[in-house]
Amino acid sequence: TVNSAAPTSPYVNLASASVLSNQTTTVSWGATGTVTKYYLNVDGNILDQGTNTSWTGKTDDIGLTNGPHSISVQACNGALCSAYSPVKTLTVTLVAPTSPLLTLSKAAVNSNEVMTVSWSATGKVTNYFVKIDSDIYDMGTTTGWTGKMEDLNIFSGVHNFSVQACNQTACSAYSATKALTVTEVVSL
């Protein structure tokens, strides 16, 4: 016989009510009755969980940003669905990205020579700030720059490069400094 009743409204358990964005957490749930599908509601975004009774991962994996988030679950038996569970609140604290790794394609260039500066960090990054001597350039989420030092008004001398990664709540330390020797090309 086919069970034609909706399951009970599920219960929801959070492994922790507060997590750091780079940590793994678990949300588990269950209902009484025949369940053919669970729907996880995260801030109004419905995620089909099939018959799984838990989700484990990093909050970044499901797009959770800094702050509190509403979590509830609905259980279905075919087209018959329960009410959503009472809402649980999961608070995410966004951690600073790691200090970026900085790479210069060359250690010495002529001012009109093309070179590449690249960088990367682990974690959620909304802005990279590249520091050349005392000047700071907001590079957004771009992870590299290719061009000539003269395009940046950088001429003869040794110039120090470093980069910092930031998100909505915090910034990393600046990367280790890399030195670039620039020789100015003089036209006659």
Side-chain angles (χ1 to χ4, degrees), residues 3-129:
N3 185 343
S4 59
T8 61
S9 179
Y11 65 85
V12 176
N13 290 318
L14 302 177
S16 177
S18 183
V19 296
L20 299 176
S21 61
N22 63 349
Q23 291 179 324
T24 299
T25 191
T26 299
V27 179
S28 59
W29 55 83
T32 303
T34 301
V35 178
T36 58
K37 194 168 284 214
Y38 286 102
Y39 292 100
L40 178 62
N41 181 338
V42 181
D43 293 336
N45 296 313
I46 309 302
L47 306 170
D48 183 340
Q49 297 299 300
T51 57
N52 295 325
T53 56
S54 67
W55 173 87
T56 299
K58 293 183 180 179
T59 55
D60 283 347
D61 296 342
I62 55 173
L64 298 185
T65 57
N66 196 54
H69 299 279
S70 300
I71 309 282
S72 62
V73 176
Q74 181 182 52
C76 295
N77 176 12
L80 300 172
C81 295
S82 71
Y84 274 93
S85 66
V87 171
K88 297 278 184 147
T89 301
L90 175 64
T91 301
V92 176
T93 301
L94 194 59
V95 296
T98 61
S99 184
L101 174 64
L102 175 67
T103 304
L104 302 180
S105 65
K106 300 175 182 180
V109 295
N110 291 324
S111 60
N112 64 354
E113 186 177 350
V114 174
M115 68 164 296
T116 299
V117 182
S118 59
W119 51 87
S120 64
T122 302
K124 184 164 181 68
V125 177
T126 56
N127 289 82
Y128 286 102
F129 294 96

